[in-house]
Amino acid sequence: MHFRHGRCGIDERRCAGRGGEAVEAARRTRVVVVGGGTAGWMTAAALATLAPRAASVHLIESAEIGIVGVGEATLPHLRAFITRLGIDEAAFMAETHATFKLGIEFRDFGAIGDRYIHPFGTFGRPLAGVAFHHYWLRRRAAGAVRPIGDYSMGVVAAEASRFARPGPDADDLANGFGYAYQFDATRFAPFLRAHAEARGAQRSEGIVVDVERDPSTGDVAAVVLADGRRIEGDLFVDCSGFRALLIGQTMEAAWEDWSQWLPCDRAVAAPCASPPGGIEPFTRATAMTAGWRWRIPLTHRVGNGYVYSSAHLSDDEARAGLVAALEAPPLAEPRLLRFRAGRRSRSWVGNVLSVGLASGFLEPLESTSIYLAQMAITQLIEHFPDRHVTDADRDGFNATVDAEYDRIREFLILHYHATTRDDSPFWDHVRTMTIPDSLAEKMALWRETAQVSRYSHGLFLEPSWVAVYLGQGIVPTGWDPRADLPEAAGLDRALAGLHAGIANAAAAMPDHRAYLATTA
Ligand SMILES: Cc1cc2nc3c(=O)[nH]c(=O)nc-3n(C[C@H](O)[C@H](O)[C@H](O)COP(=O)(O)OP(=O)(O)OC[C@H]3O[C@@H](n4cnc5c(N)ncnc54)[C@H](O)[C@@H]3O)c2cc1C
């Protein structure tokens, strides 16, 4: 992509003869955002804050249609988004009833009775350039180690329901973790709306019923609302959710369906009251007969949902399964949501770019959807186009989005496929299905050598794969031969010291609920 902020890419005649401010306004790309869910308001808030001289923002949303309103668990990247927009973390957390999140606890995935935490952080620390898990595997073979989670600050703190923001010294093991948020999804978009409108974003309430296209280019020229209003733009960001009004219906970007590997296509969601006592600083995912169930503790309630495959379970069974599993009666009637796993073959076509559910969806097992919206927005801002978008601009954007989706897809498939469960047709299906070659190669490499395939960029780096592989019972037969070099007794002392240091640091942290009371 090219960065061309400084250049006036628009028709020079529009600038001629105007005063400075008018010229400035005329130079700005008119961005129309269709949709006011999390994706729409994240886009509008980011553009209004970070590109006010390059773009004007006009967002259209419809209360009648509403938003998805789920999406309560996030990844640590959201912190960078909030910070970059100059949002006060405490205000954001208070407004959205947010809690801190240190990772995800998976139960019953590899086998019924299993549990492990996939933390935002590392396991141990490398020695002589070799990742910790190689040494751990060597000593595990001799029966001389604790579970790998005991060498992770994020895991140990999560299990003790303790939390404090990590300090700045990255070399200190006590700071070897990241954190994200769990929040009330219905409150995030309104919070961002206030931020965006305060920075000049315009908003229209109404339903888009027609889309006008430039007959010569095929680009979208304007959208028309039910009451006849017509809103013109240079760049249209489709944040219309699963409807994919512009990218799907108008630009006809093809949909790549991934349900053969990710068969869950529905969810029922219902909140319940928080139990007395502590608030876990993690999201829980519990495998169920035909999918899995989330549990997300917020400050004022617990969010729950059962994500399932409609080919293997009826909606009524899912509702009953969810309600039966709740720790307290539901606070609302369980809501049914339908979705498909997959993505658009191109997220940006012509002058329409899609962000959020309009661009694709991978089920929420690893809380990746808001991250994907954030990643697309970051791409857009960093390479903000003038009015002459080139094929190279679009190709660069689409290639990045594709790579992110593909990597997440593989990581999610691993959670299903790496199982010994044979207690239901759903688990039989995912255990025995043919997986993408790229994932099969990664798993074979891990099994033999304990190596994790490296990415140059993207989500889920080595510690994440190690957490899920080991958590779901795929233990490699080999390890890096350099891990055999240290003398065993010395290695065992180092491992014991590492665990003791982590346990002490976690014990010194405040209780999560108490920390929330002082900080959010
Ligand atoms: C079951 C489930 C669980 C999830 N859990 C997580 C999670 O834990 N973590 C995570 O990161 N993500 C999660 N997600 C995804 C997350 O909810 C979405 O990524 C996020 O809410 C963004 O949605 P959106 O803004 O793209 O779409 P929506 O919220 O659907 O918003 C669409 C907007 O478009 C508007 N609109 C549509 N058509 C028109 C029209 N014709 N005219 C005018 N306006 C229109 C609507 O009014 C609305 O404002 C989950 C999703 C599902 C389905």
Side-chain angles (χ1 to χ4, degrees), residues 37-77:
T38 296
W41 282 113
M42 281 177 78
T43 307
L47 285 171
T49 311
L50 303 173
R53 294 169 70 86
S56 65
V57 185
H58 192 153
L59 183 143
I60 303 158
E61 64 179 327
S62 159
E64 204 177 305
I65 292 175
I67 65 170
V68 156
V70 280
E72 304 192 320
T74 66
L75 295 180
H77 307 71

Side-chain angles (χ1 to χ4, degrees), residues 35-40 60-62 65-68 70-73 206-208 239-243 245 267 294 337 339 355-357 361 364 367-370:
T38 296
I60 303 158
E61 64 179 327
S62 159
I65 292 175
I67 65 170
V68 156
V70 280
E72 304 192 320
I207 297 185
V208 174
C239 296
S240 64
F242 290 127
R243 284 180 177 75
L245 199 68
W294 78 73
L337 297 120
F339 53 82
V355 175
L357 299 172
F361 185 57
S367 324
T368 45
S369 199
I370 293 173

Side-chain angles (χ1 to χ4, degrees), residues 376-424:
I377 294 164
T378 307
Q379 287 289 307
L380 172 64
I381 302 268
E382 281 180 5
H383 307 282
F384 196 79
D386 58 28
R387 294 180 190 198
H388 301 292
V389 176
T390 65
D391 284 343
D393 289 333
R394 279 182 286 260
D395 291 349
F397 179 92
N398 287 332
T400 305
V401 172
D402 288 359
E404 293 272 3
Y405 267 95
D406 293 356
R407 283 162 191 173
I408 295 171
R409 179 190 73 176
E410 293 197 348
F411 192 55
L412 294 187
I413 296 172
L414 176 68
H415 293 65
Y416 287 113
H417 188 61
T419 188
T420 55
R421 285 188 66 152
D422 58 1
D423 53 295
S424 70

